[in-house]
Amino acid sequence: MEPIAAALAEEAAKKSGLVWIEGPDGAQRALWHVWHDGAVTLVGDGPDEQPLDGLGLADGARVTVLARSKDKGGRLVAWPARVTELAPESEAWRAAVDELKGKRLNAVDADRVPERWARESRVLRLVRDGEAATGAALPAGSLTAPPPATPATTRRPAPAALPRLLFRRRRRG
């Protein structure tokens, strides 16, 4: 079953722009990525980039990658991965950055993203390092955590008189 699970892991990572990374301490976070050269490749930890702190994403560390189903959104497959940090301006780094910059949405400095990533961010490869878990091997619970506290609030209802003020017609006599 290993070849089928490996193919499922690759296909799920290719089709989804988001994977969940679970660090050694159990902390989880969704991160955008690209599937490049047989591994999940991601960039982060710089200004205007996704935070990678708290997940144990150090060079040589082991983490768990969870991929979801593109159509249903539920957990589809999980696999252990070994983290490799690519050295800026190396050949592997350039190849990975070429893939990443094509998928990076809303970059303010799209033409200078590689230079900024070389200076301020980390580019990581998460290479499969063990057997993928599918179906019954996945946890049965939702593994959800309460959202962090925030000062943000939901919208308040519009004042009752607002529609009359906005849509009234002027009558001239």
PDB file of all heavy atoms in Angstrom, residues 141-155:
ATOM      1  N   GLY A 141     -10.877  12.389  15.467  1.00  0.00           N
ATOM      2  CA  GLY A 141     -11.357  13.693  15.924  1.00  0.00           C
ATOM      3  C   GLY A 141     -11.024  14.801  14.944  1.00  0.00           C
ATOM      4  O   GLY A 141     -10.299  14.611  13.978  1.00  0.00           O
ATOM      5  N   SER A 142     -11.546  15.985  15.215  1.00  0.00           N
ATOM      6  CA  SER A 142     -11.320  17.107  14.301  1.00  0.00           C
ATOM      7  C   SER A 142      -9.976  17.779  14.500  1.00  0.00           C
ATOM      8  O   SER A 142      -9.489  18.467  13.630  1.00  0.00           O
ATOM      9  CB  SER A 142     -12.422  18.150  14.485  1.00  0.00           C
ATOM     10  OG  SER A 142     -12.275  18.790  15.734  1.00  0.00           O
ATOM     11  N   LEU A 143      -9.375  17.617  15.669  1.00  0.00           N
ATOM     12  CA  LEU A 143      -8.096  18.246  16.014  1.00  0.00           C
ATOM     13  C   LEU A 143      -8.155  19.762  15.957  1.00  0.00           C
ATOM     14  O   LEU A 143      -7.141  20.425  15.807  1.00  0.00           O
ATOM     15  CB  LEU A 143      -6.965  17.737  15.107  1.00  0.00           C
ATOM     16  CG  LEU A 143      -6.705  16.244  15.115  1.00  0.00           C
ATOM     17  CD1 LEU A 143      -5.581  15.895  14.147  1.00  0.00           C
ATOM     18  CD2 LEU A 143      -6.391  15.717  16.495  1.00  0.00           C
ATOM     19  N   THR A 144      -9.337  20.335  16.064  1.00  0.00           N
ATOM     20  CA  THR A 144      -9.456  21.781  16.021  1.00  0.00           C
ATOM     21  C   THR A 144      -9.023  22.388  17.347  1.00  0.00           C
ATOM     22  O   THR A 144      -9.101  21.762  18.387  1.00  0.00           O
ATOM     23  CB  THR A 144     -10.897  22.228  15.731  1.00  0.00           C
ATOM     24  OG1 THR A 144     -11.751  21.713  16.753  1.00  0.00           O
ATOM     25  CG2 THR A 144     -11.366  21.748  14.376  1.00  0.00           C
ATOM     26  N   ALA A 145      -8.573  23.610  17.267  1.00  0.00           N
ATOM     27  CA  ALA A 145      -8.174  24.354  18.461  1.00  0.00           C
ATOM     28  C   ALA A 145      -8.994  25.632  18.502  1.00  0.00           C
ATOM     29  O   ALA A 145      -9.417  26.141  17.459  1.00  0.00           O
ATOM     30  CB  ALA A 145      -6.694  24.684  18.389  1.00  0.00           C
ATOM     31  N   PRO A 146      -9.231  26.168  19.688  1.00  0.00           N
ATOM     32  CA  PRO A 146      -9.974  27.425  19.743  1.00  0.00           C
ATOM     33  C   PRO A 146      -9.172  28.533  19.064  1.00  0.00           C
ATOM     34  O   PRO A 146      -7.947  28.528  19.128  1.00  0.00           O
ATOM     35  CB  PRO A 146     -10.144  27.690  21.236  1.00  0.00           C
ATOM     36  CG  PRO A 146      -9.142  26.835  21.912  1.00  0.00           C
ATOM     37  CD  PRO A 146      -8.849  25.689  21.009  1.00  0.00           C
ATOM     38  N   PRO A 147      -9.848  29.465  18.415  1.00  0.00           N
ATOM     39  CA  PRO A 147      -9.109  30.542  17.750  1.00  0.00           C
ATOM     40  C   PRO A 147      -8.418  31.419  18.775  1.00  0.00           C
ATOM     41  O   PRO A 147      -8.893  31.562  19.907  1.00  0.00           O
ATOM     42  CB  PRO A 147     -10.195  31.322  17.005  1.00  0.00           C
ATOM     43  CG  PRO A 147     -11.465  30.946  17.659  1.00  0.00           C
ATOM     44  CD  PRO A 147     -11.284  29.586  18.249  1.00  0.00           C
ATOM     45  N   PRO A 148      -7.283  32.021  18.398  1.00  0.00           N
ATOM     46  CA  PRO A 148      -6.592  32.888  19.354  1.00  0.00           C
ATOM     47  C   PRO A 148      -7.409  34.138  19.647  1.00  0.00           C
ATOM     48  O   PRO A 148      -8.212  34.578  18.821  1.00  0.00           O
ATOM     49  CB  PRO A 148      -5.290  33.244  18.634  1.00  0.00           C
ATOM     50  CG  PRO A 148      -5.549  32.976  17.202  1.00  0.00           C
ATOM     51  CD  PRO A 148      -6.605  31.919  17.142  1.00  0.00           C
ATOM     52  N   ALA A 149      -7.201  34.697  20.833  1.00  0.00           N
ATOM     53  CA  ALA A 149      -7.906  35.919  21.219  1.00  0.00           C
ATOM     54  C   ALA A 149      -7.502  37.064  20.288  1.00  0.00           C
ATOM     55  O   ALA A 149      -6.346  37.163  19.888  1.00  0.00           O
ATOM     56  CB  ALA A 149      -7.566  36.273  22.657  1.00  0.00           C
ATOM     57  N   THR A 150      -8.465  37.908  19.940  1.00  0.00           N
ATOM     58  CA  THR A 150      -8.206  39.014  19.025  1.00  0.00           C
ATOM     59  C   THR A 150      -9.149  40.164  19.355  1.00  0.00           C
ATOM     60  O   THR A 150     -10.266  39.941  19.820  1.00  0.00           O
ATOM     61  CB  THR A 150      -8.395  38.575  17.555  1.00  0.00           C
ATOM     62  OG1 THR A 150      -8.234  39.707  16.720  1.00  0.00           O
ATOM     63  CG2 THR A 150      -9.754  37.966  17.321  1.00  0.00           C
ATOM     64  N   PRO A 151      -8.710  41.392  19.113  1.00  0.00           N
ATOM     65  CA  PRO A 151      -9.602  42.529  19.346  1.00  0.00           C
ATOM     66  C   PRO A 151     -10.630  42.720  18.218  1.00  0.00           C
ATOM     67  O   PRO A 151     -11.503  43.560  18.321  1.00  0.00           O
ATOM     68  CB  PRO A 151      -8.646  43.720  19.413  1.00  0.00           C
ATOM     69  CG  PRO A 151      -7.477  43.304  18.588  1.00  0.00           C
ATOM     70  CD  PRO A 151      -7.354  41.812  18.787  1.00  0.00           C
ATOM     71  N   ALA A 152     -10.514  41.939  17.160  1.00  0.00           N
ATOM     72  CA  ALA A 152     -11.439  42.074  16.036  1.00  0.00           C
ATOM     73  C   ALA A 152     -12.847  41.673  16.462  1.00  0.00           C
ATOM     74  O   ALA A 152     -13.040  40.797  17.307  1.00  0.00           O
ATOM     75  CB  ALA A 152     -10.988  41.201  14.873  1.00  0.00           C
ATOM     76  N   THR A 153     -13.837  42.318  15.870  1.00  0.00           N
ATOM     77  CA  THR A 153     -15.235  42.005  16.164  1.00  0.00           C
ATOM     78  C   THR A 153     -15.980  41.784  14.862  1.00  0.00           C
ATOM     79  O   THR A 153     -15.496  42.103  13.785  1.00  0.00           O
ATOM     80  CB  THR A 153     -15.923  43.161  16.922  1.00  0.00           C
ATOM     81  OG1 THR A 153     -15.904  44.321  16.101  1.00  0.00           O
ATOM     82  CG2 THR A 153     -15.223  43.444  18.226  1.00  0.00           C
ATOM     83  N   THR A 154     -17.171  41.248  15.000  1.00  0.00           N
ATOM     84  CA  THR A 154     -18.018  41.104  13.822  1.00  0.00           C
ATOM     85  C   THR A 154     -18.685  42.435  13.524  1.00  0.00           C
ATOM     86  O   THR A 154     -18.742  43.324  14.371  1.00  0.00           O
ATOM     87  CB  THR A 154     -19.102  40.032  14.059  1.00  0.00           C
ATOM     88  OG1 THR A 154     -19.835  40.381  15.219  1.00  0.00           O
ATOM     89  CG2 THR A 154     -18.470  38.665  14.236  1.00  0.00           C
ATOM     90  N   ARG A 155     -19.203  42.559  12.338  1.00  0.00           N
ATOM     91  CA  ARG A 155     -19.898  43.795  11.971  1.00  0.00           C
ATOM     92  C   ARG A 155     -21.116  43.997  12.836  1.00  0.00           C
ATOM     93  O   ARG A 155     -21.826  43.065  13.173  1.00  0.00           O
ATOM     94  CB  ARG A 155     -20.356  43.716  10.514  1.00  0.00           C
ATOM     95  CG  ARG A 155     -19.330  44.228   9.568  1.00  0.00           C
ATOM     96  CD  ARG A 155     -19.799  44.158   8.153  1.00  0.00           C
ATOM     97  NE  ARG A 155     -21.080  44.803   7.947  1.00  0.00           N
ATOM     98  CZ  ARG A 155     -21.696  44.848   6.787  1.00  0.00           C
ATOM     99  NH1 ARG A 155     -21.168  44.275   5.754  1.00  0.00           N
ATOM    100  NH2 ARG A 155     -22.856  45.455   6.665  1.00  0.00           N
TER     101      ARG A 155
END
